[in-house]
Amino acid sequence: MCRIAGIINHSLPTEELTGRVKAMCQSQKHGGPDDEGLFVDEVLHLGFGHRRLSLIDLSPGGHQPMFYNDGALVITYNGELYNYPELKEELKYLGYRFSSASDTEVILAAFAEWGPQAFKRFNGMFAFALANRETKKVYLVRDPAGIKPLYYSTRDNNLVFASETKAFHQVAETSEENPVWPVYFMAYGHLPEPVTTLRHVSPLPKGFFLEYDIVSKKVDLESFTHFSYVEKLNDREEVLQKIRQSLKAAVERHLLSDAPIGAFLSGGIDSSLISLLAGAHVKDYLNTLSIYFREDVYSEKKYQDIVLHRLQCNHSGHLLTGGEFTEFLPAIVSDMDLPSCDGINTWFISKCAKEAGLKAVLSGLGGDELFGGYPSFERLKAAATLQKMPNATLKAGRYSGLKKLRRLAYLSLPGIKGKYLFLRGQFIPSEIAQQLGIEEEQVWKLLQDQPSLPDVHFLTHKNQASWMEMNLYMQNQLLRDSDVMSMAHGIEIRVPFLDAEFIRLALQISSAVKYAGEGKQLLIDAFKDILPESIYNRPKMGFAFPFKEWLAANAWVKDEIESAGKEAQKTYDLFLKGQRHWSQVLVLMLAKNHRPQKILATAPA
């Protein structure tokens, strides 16, 4: 796991190009504390920068940017390629030789052999820039699950890229604020791709590569792979066997590391399962991490202890208090790259991982999205029925005191977008308009325009919910939060449930088999031999903190809300009365520095 940045700009003198790439890398130093590298090609007007977090091949042989074929190929790479040992053997058979033990060199050799066709062969989490100095082309590539972030700008026909949007503030041409981002943030609680806080900066879509011709400055964006729901596995016993084999193999692949690695253990089904599978592979060398609370209603310590008794591993448990929350909340907000109404829990558990001397940690993220662990899987069918009501009827409830009735208005947006915002939205358009001091119709227009989502009505209702949770909530919030909050501490989070082979398996299981029973019954049944009954036979809690109580008692939060205006103060007062969710307070805090007049001048009528 690392941080990358780069610029291709014909009009910049070499010294200025070098300085800008250095500054972009320095702004991301937290994500690559072990090493730094810089390469500038004066002829191609190209600069590649790298900040390294060493996990595979800790020697100088893993230094980046890395070169291949006598410097014809150069790469700056963020991520892990879990099938690189197999690819390396195949390439050796084809005559390739390797001078390092790193997966980075395997990517370069694979590209030398197969060109862009190599990208579809990679199983891992990755975001990289690769320059072919002979053909004078640069490739930006992002993994199919979108685990690793990669942002870019092609303003004025130049190319600028980085792992975090904050790096683009080091380049004047890409630092202009997107004036309408607060609208999306207040609706979703995150910024849905392709929206960012910067007007000229976009995320590279997952499973895509961008090809930039340095001579012609032509840009091509092409998909190299994607995941599809294909319901062809109907034999339950066969499916159970495949799940067991595939997830065990995925966990084993994700344990590849030359640096200390561990697992997050919340006490829920997914994290317990990943920890147990990892523990069976590494025996007593597995390190586990947990957070627990004095507040019993939130603490899952008793469930963590049940799993730990079976693991007998090296465990670090941390009692998190309201005092720590108060102390670190300003730093957590500062560490966010793009705004999010979540991610605080990941920041704290990553801090614990750092203090435990770890560099990489396994997470159970993805199990809920693939196997039906959220309430949305039960509610989406009803949402689809309600969506058929006249728009006027749906919008009539927006002045209701009941949150569910207010959010009915979102179902007037067609397709999966309306369903998602109905089920997970933060503020409705009339509330957003009030908070920002703009016209409600402007809000509706913006939300209709972005993001542009495919039609998924042909999927079963529960697969629609799965698609929605994976491509909106998980993609834009959980994965982004996991990346930026862990990298704030120089920690890599790995997600075995999002192993490419395991995702493909899960999406091939018929809905009738996959979602039979309550919750993630199929996943539970696949591992009943190792998963304690007390872990799955209880109400789902999630990875929750006593946010409501802690935010209500936080003087800094109170001051921030007071400076956000009267409408924000009204929402805060309702929160104190238990009539608004804590996440809405966090959204208002993070959106408070926008300038409404800019939205008025920019937003479509």
Side-chain angles (χ1 to χ4, degrees), residues 76-90:
T76 181
Y77 161 57
N78 170 28
E80 306 293 346
L81 197 62
Y82 299 122
N83 66 335
Y84 85 92
E86 297 91 331
L87 288 173
K88 189 172 187 177
E89 288 305 309
E90 183 177 356

Side-chain angles (χ1 to χ4, degrees), residues 122-124 144 227 253-254 496 498-505:
F122 298 159
N123 181 0
F227 299 116
R253 280 193 289 270
H254 281 65
L498 300 186
D499 179 271
E501 292 185 13
F502 190 73
I503 290 177
R504 290 190 178 96
L505 169 64

Side-chain angles (χ1 to χ4, degrees), residues 150-204:
L150 185 56
Y151 302 93
Y152 73 97
S153 173
T154 54
R155 191 179 188 193
D156 299 328
N157 295 317
N158 300 309
L159 179 64
V160 184
F161 66 88
S163 300
E164 297 183 18
T165 60
K166 65 180 61 174
F168 291 86
H169 290 283
Q170 306 300 321
V171 180
E173 297 86 347
T174 61
S175 62
E176 183 182 350
E177 184 185 12
N178 175 5
V180 299
W181 72 260
V183 171
Y184 296 99
F185 180 51
M186 294 185 70
Y188 286 87
H190 59 249
L191 294 185
E193 294 189 5
V195 179
T196 73
T197 53
L198 300 175
R199 185 193 288 271
H200 303 290
V201 174
S202 302
L204 183 69

